[in-house]
Amino acid sequence: MDKLKIAVQKSGRLHDDSMQILKDIGISIDNGKDQLKAAARNFPLEVFYLRNGDIPQYLRDGVVDVAIIGENVLYEKGEDIVVKERLGFSKCKVSIAIPKSKKFSGIEDLEGKRIATSYPNTVTKFLDDNNINAQIHLINGSVEIAPNIGLADAIVDIVSSGSTLFKNNLKEVKVLLKSEAVLAASPKISDEVNVILNRLLFRIQSVLKGRGFRYVLMNAPTNKVAEIIEVLPGMRSPTVLPLAQEGWSSLHTVIDKNDFWNIIDELKAKGAEGILVCPIENLVV
C-alpha cells in the first residue's frame, strides 16, 4: 500500500507545531523516543524526523514526498520546491542586526562591512539586489556572538521574539523576509501518492479554516433579529431558532475571529445578549 512520506524538523518549535497539526487533523503517530521514522496508525503516512536544513534536498531527491518546513529554509535552499499550503504557525523573520551602540541610517551602511550568517544565499541575494558589496562570514549556530568577538559588523539571522538579540546587545535594523511554516512537495511525488496528499491537504485546510473562525450564538428579541443579521459578517444567512420564551430567538452563525470584537458593541446595542463564542476544530466549506 502506498504511503505519503512527510518530513518534519527533528526538534524545536517547528517540530512541536508540526506534530500538533497532524494531531489536530486526526492522525495518530507511533513515535518513540529518538526515532528517525514513525508510521501513522490511522492514515497512510510515514513521518521522517530530519534536520531542517537537509529537508529541501530530501524533497528534491524524492526521498520524502512532502515536508512541513519554514519558508526561510526554502528561500535559502529550495526556491525550486513547490509550496502546497501556508500553515500560519512558527512565524519568524530573517533580519539584519547590529550592535546597539552603532547607528544605522540605511542599508548603504552595510557597504564594505562583514556580515555573519547561516543564510549565505539569502544574504547574497539581498546584497546583489541592492548593489551592496559586503563580506559574508558563514557561521552555523550562535551567529549572535559574532559582533561581540570582532568577527563581524552585523549579522543576519532568524528573529522571533527578539530576546536573543537583546541578550547579545544587538538591535534589529532591517527585515529581509518574513517566514512561516509551509507544506512543501517533492517534484518527484507519484500520482498515487499525490492522491493521499490531497486527502491530507483537505484535512489541513479544514483545520486552518476552523482556526480562523468562531462559532457565535446569541439571544435577541425576535423583532430585533433582522437588524442583527444586517451587522453579522457570517458565511451565509445565520440560523435563527425560536426560544421557549415567547418573543425571543437564538441566532447561530460563523464569523471571522478578527471580526467579532469589531461588531460586539453593535450587536449589544441592537439587543443581542447571552453571546457565546466557541472555537471551531474543523470547518469544511
Side-chain angles (χ1 to χ4, degrees):
M1 180 180 178
D2 290 315
K3 288 187 176 183
L4 179 72
K5 295 173 288 186
I6 183 170
V8 301
Q9 185 174 291
K10 286 175 64 175
S11 60
R13 184 165 66 104
L14 180 54
H15 166 87
D16 296 341
D17 289 342
S18 300
M19 299 312 294
Q20 183 61 51
I21 197 167
L22 291 177
K23 181 179 179 181
D24 289 346
I25 63 175
I27 295 178
S28 301
I29 309 296
D30 289 320
N31 59 317
K33 186 178 180 181
D34 298 327
Q35 278 187 300
L36 297 180
K37 186 176 76 168
R41 292 197 300 270
N42 55 353
F43 194 84
L45 178 140
E46 286 183 320
V47 181
F48 289 68
Y49 302 100
L50 305 172
R51 287 181 64 252
N52 214 28
D54 294 337
I55 291 176
Q57 193 59 49
Y58 282 110
L59 285 168
R60 199 175 284 115
D61 293 341
V63 176
V64 294
D65 302 305
V66 293
I68 298 176
I69 188 171
E71 277 181 291
N72 57 298
V73 179
L74 289 184
Y75 189 81
E76 175 68 21
K77 295 185 174 182
E79 279 195 295
D80 56 321
I81 295 170
V82 175
V83 171
K84 289 291 187 177
E85 187 69 41
R86 301 175 68 84
L87 301 176
F89 56 76
S90 295
K91 293 184 178 181
C92 65
K93 298 172 287 184
V94 177
S95 300
I96 300 171
I98 63 173
K100 291 180 182 177
S101 59
K102 301 294 183 181
K103 292 183 179 180
F104 187 80
S105 57
I107 57 176
E108 62 275 5
D109 289 355
L110 299 172
E111 182 70 31
K113 297 296 193 295
R114 299 164 299 163
I115 303 173
T117 187
S118 54
Y119 294 89
N121 294 330
T122 300
V123 177
T124 297
K125 292 172 192 173
F126 172 78
L127 295 175
D128 289 346
D129 288 344
N130 290 278
N131 297 314
I132 293 172
N133 293 309
Q135 300 175 35
I136 298 176
H137 290 265
L138 178 60
I139 297 179
N140 292 313
S142 301
V143 174
E144 297 85 0
I145 199 174
N148 295 327
I149 60 176
L151 181 62
D153 303 296
I155 69 165
V156 172
D157 201 18
I158 288 178
V159 177
S160 295
S161 66
S163 61
T164 303
L165 295 182
F166 180 80
K167 292 174 184 176
N168 287 276
N169 292 311
L170 299 173
K171 60 183 179 181
E172 182 183 39
V173 295
K174 177 69 176 178
V175 176
L176 301 194
L177 62 95
K178 294 182 179 180
S179 173
E180 65 181 77
V182 298
L183 184 72
S186 167
K188 296 186 177 181
I189 190 169
S190 68
D191 292 340
E192 293 77 15
V193 174
N194 199 54
V195 172
I196 303 172
L197 171 57
N198 287 333
R199 290 172 55 196
L200 183 82
L201 272 171
F202 173 77
R203 293 191 184 194
I204 289 175
Q205 289 162 354
S206 298
V207 166
L208 295 179
K209 287 188 178 77
R211 288 178 179 178
F213 287 84
R214 293 293 182 267
Y215 189 73
V216 180
L217 303 87
M218 69 196 79
N219 298 330
T222 301
N223 61 2
K224 295 289 186 179
V225 168
E227 293 181 41
I228 291 173
I229 289 175
E230 287 181 2
V231 302
L232 285 176
M235 298 176 67
R236 289 188 182 176
S237 177
T239 299
V240 180
L241 300 171
L243 293 179
Q245 183 178 350
E246 188 175 348
W248 282 79
S249 297
S250 175
L251 288 83
H252 300 216
T253 190
V254 173
I255 65 174
D256 188 300
K257 68 177 183 180
N258 297 316
D259 287 335
F260 176 75
W261 292 112
N262 296 330
I263 65 169
I264 182 64
D265 292 333
E266 196 170 356
L267 291 173
K268 291 171 64 179
K270 291 185 179 298
E273 57 182 62
I275 302 171
L276 179 63
V277 183
C278 304
I280 298 173
E281 288 190 4
N282 300 286
L283 181 59
V284 180
V285 294

